[in-house]
Amino acid sequence: MSTPLVSVCMTAYNHEAYIREAIESVLAQQTSFGVELVIGEDCSTDRTAEIVRAYAAQYPGQVHVVSDTKNVGWRANYRRTFEACRGRYVAYLDGDDRWCDPQKLQMQVELLENDPSCGMCCTDAIDFYQATGEQRPWPHARYTDFDRLLLRTTIANCTAVARRDLIARYYAEVRPAEHPEWRTDDWPMWLWFASRSHIRLMERPTAIHRRLPESVSHTTAYRDRIAFRDSLMEISLWFDDHYGNSRNRFRILRERMAVALWILSWEGPAGEYLTRWWTDVRQTPRLVLCPEGAGLFVKKILFRHSKNRPL
């Protein structure tokens, strides 16, 4: 069996409603090179496993399923699925997203082949909000440098194609499994790539990123949104400490505080807002000089009065 140039790393858990679209979007890719699809199926409780095994039977040698007799969790599933990828390049696509451009892999791999300094290539995407059917272009700003990615990512997981050997170096060097407090595995990977190589962003939407009403990264529970964002900033602090000589520490702490206070300016009691503000200022006294602390609290008071809502 010949080794494909590109492996598509797809993880799936309870994606029965979406997995066919994801798989078909990979099979629809038009390339001049070999592509394999490796699906990490994590013991779903719906028909996801049945569906992916049917595709593997229909496309032997092209579609492979990685699974076990028990659920291993998202982080271990990502790692074992990557380990099963044989290609020189690895493209990421979760089982609830899909690609919308049949030339996606061809364009990205050509760029990587022609630019040895580039470790990863990503593209624009389209956010699809499952609850409403609304679509929005993403990202809103375009940059791939380490210092700005520490504050806000512009890389959608479903658009990334990277060199396999560099992904292996990331796992060996960073060892994300030793950081169970990190609530995502793609944010740290992008930061590592930005610090160790060059990332190219193509201004062309090639993927549909499905925004579900409730997920780890997107939820209506405001405290969970704050906790997830805090986790991202903790990841950024770790990377700034290890790869940025801590030069961005204050900017990251300010961003962490500002996002939490922005959410709390819309939701939650005033006491919770003040507690969070004071906690951040007590840990980093310079934050008291940042205008968003008082400014967002004034907004919260005015919002309460305009909506006649109790604090």
Side-chain angles (χ1 to χ4, degrees):
M1 183 184 300
S2 61
T3 301
L5 184 64
V6 177
S7 297
V8 180
C9 180
M10 179 183 294
T11 57
Y13 177 73
N14 286 354
H15 287 158
E16 175 185 351
Y18 321 115
I19 191 70
R20 286 188 180 87
E21 283 187 304
I23 294 173
E24 291 290 345
S25 73
V26 175
L27 297 175
Q29 289 294 299
Q30 301 169 2
T31 64
S32 60
F33 44 79
V35 177
E36 70 172 356
L37 171 59
V38 183
I39 307 173
E41 203 294 306
D42 201 15
C43 295
S44 299
T45 59
D46 61 7
R47 295 181 59 249
T48 300
E50 176 186 339
I51 294 169
V52 302
R53 290 192 178 107
Y55 273 99
Q58 185 178 355
Y59 298 93
Q62 184 177 1
V63 178
H64 313 278
V65 178
V66 178
S67 190
D68 203 338
T69 58
K70 63 179 182 179
N71 179 278
V72 299
W74 63 268
R75 175 168 280 126
N77 192 30
Y78 261 112
R79 179 67 183 273
R80 70 178 179 184
T81 307
F82 162 74
E83 294 291 350
C85 292
R86 299 175 298 140
R88 184 188 309 168
Y89 303 104
V90 174
Y92 284 95
L93 180 66
D94 288 338
D96 56 350
D97 296 329
R98 63 183 174 88
W99 292 337
C100 58
D101 187 338
Q103 294 295 315
K104 175 188 186 296
L105 291 181
Q106 185 72 36
M107 292 187 303
Q108 291 180 277
V109 169
E110 286 180 357
L111 185 152
L112 288 162
E113 290 276 80
N114 292 325
D115 185 359
S117 70
C118 180
M120 173 187 289
C121 176
C122 55
T123 75
D124 289 349
I126 297 172
D127 276 348
F128 175 77
Y129 291 81
Q130 184 68 28
T132 64
E134 180 184 5
Q135 297 188 29
R136 300 178 188 173
W138 195 89
H140 307 297
R142 293 180 175 89
Y143 48 80
T144 56
D145 58 286
F146 178 74
D147 288 349
R148 285 188 289 180
L149 285 176
L150 286 167
L151 302 183
R152 194 172 302 273
T153 188
T154 61
I155 302 171
N157 184 64
C158 55
T159 74
V161 179
R163 300 183 188 275
R164 190 192 188 285
D165 61 332
L166 289 182
I167 299 174
R169 280 182 53 195
Y170 158 76
Y171 278 116
E173 187 173 311
V174 176
R175 299 189 295 274
E178 297 178 8
H179 300 276
E181 73 279 7
W182 293 358
R183 298 192 180 195
T184 181
D185 210 23
D186 54 1
W187 183 284
M189 188 181 292
W190 310 155
L191 291 176
W192 186 88
F193 267 89
S195 69
R196 291 303 203 201
S197 69
H198 180 51
I199 300 176
R200 294 277 297 275
L201 191 155
M202 303 178 70
E203 296 183 14
R204 173 170 171 170
T206 66
I208 307 295
H209 179 208
R210 195 183 305 271
R211 301 276 190 175
L212 300 173
E214 291 293 328
S215 66
V216 174
S217 57
H218 305 99
T219 175
T220 56
Y222 74 91
R223 290 191 181 100
D224 289 342
R225 296 204 306 275
I226 292 172
F228 181 76
R229 183 65 184 181
D230 283 349
S231 172
L232 297 184
M233 293 298 95
E234 288 301 320
I235 294 170
S236 292
L237 287 169
W238 188 92
F239 272 86
D240 187 48
D241 182 45
H242 286 76
Y243 299 99
N245 296 317
S246 299
R247 65 178 178 269
N248 296 287
R249 182 173 181 80
F250 181 74
R251 294 173 60 237
I252 297 169
L253 292 171
R254 181 177 181 179
E255 176 75 5
R256 183 180 68 178
M257 180 189 75
V259 171
L261 294 184
W262 171 257
I263 295 172
L264 290 170
S265 72
W266 290 102
E267 302 184 70
E272 187 172 1
Y273 180 102
L274 293 172
T275 297
R276 174 57 190 255
W277 186 12
W278 172 241
T279 298
D280 287 339
V281 168
R282 185 174 55 188
Q283 293 174 351
T284 310
R286 285 176 59 197
L287 290 173
V288 76
L289 301 175
C290 299
E292 50 265 32
L296 288 172
F297 188 69
V298 171
K299 168 188 168 294
K300 184 172 184 66
I301 298 297
L302 294 176
F303 176 72
R304 186 277 305 265
H305 287 305
S306 66
K307 298 295 185 179
N308 196 26
R309 293 175 56 181
L311 288 175

